[in-house]
Amino acid sequence: MSKKLLVTGSLGFTGQHLIAEAQRQGLSVVELQADLTDVAAVRLELAGTSFDYVIHLAAISSVTHD
């Protein structure tokens, strides 16, 4: 049975590459879709699930140039 990995921020650059590698390594990956600032939505999405690993990549980022 494969280990289960929960990933936040899965749509970002790092998340996409991390997920691809985790799957190549045989992990079952679950991408959290809920807004992390909405506690009820996160609880609802994760209800009844368990994970072996969690990688938190969600963040607010902006790249600005002069």
Side-chain angles (χ1 to χ4, degrees), residues 32-62:
L32 183 67
Q33 300 299 311
D35 178 347
L36 291 178
T37 64
D38 184 345
V39 175
V42 172
R43 285 183 178 159
L44 182 63
E45 186 173 342
L46 298 180
T49 60
S50 63
F51 304 95
D52 299 291
Y53 310 103
V54 176
I55 297 179
H56 174 56
L57 299 174
I60 297 173
S61 65
S62 80

Side-chain angles (χ1 to χ4, degrees), residues 1-53:
M1 184 164 145
S2 68
K3 299 281 186 171
K4 193 182 290 186
L5 169 65
L6 173 67
V7 179
T8 68
S10 61
L11 297 178
F13 177 82
T14 303
Q16 292 175 9
H17 291 280
L18 178 121
I19 288 169
E21 182 58 29
Q23 290 171 331
R24 277 193 290 275
Q25 297 291 324
L27 291 169
S28 172
V29 178
V30 175
E31 301 174 44
L32 183 67
Q33 300 299 311
D35 178 347
L36 291 178
T37 64
D38 184 345
V39 175
V42 172
R43 285 183 178 159
L44 182 63
E45 186 173 342
L46 298 180
T49 60
S50 63
F51 304 95
D52 299 291
Y53 310 103

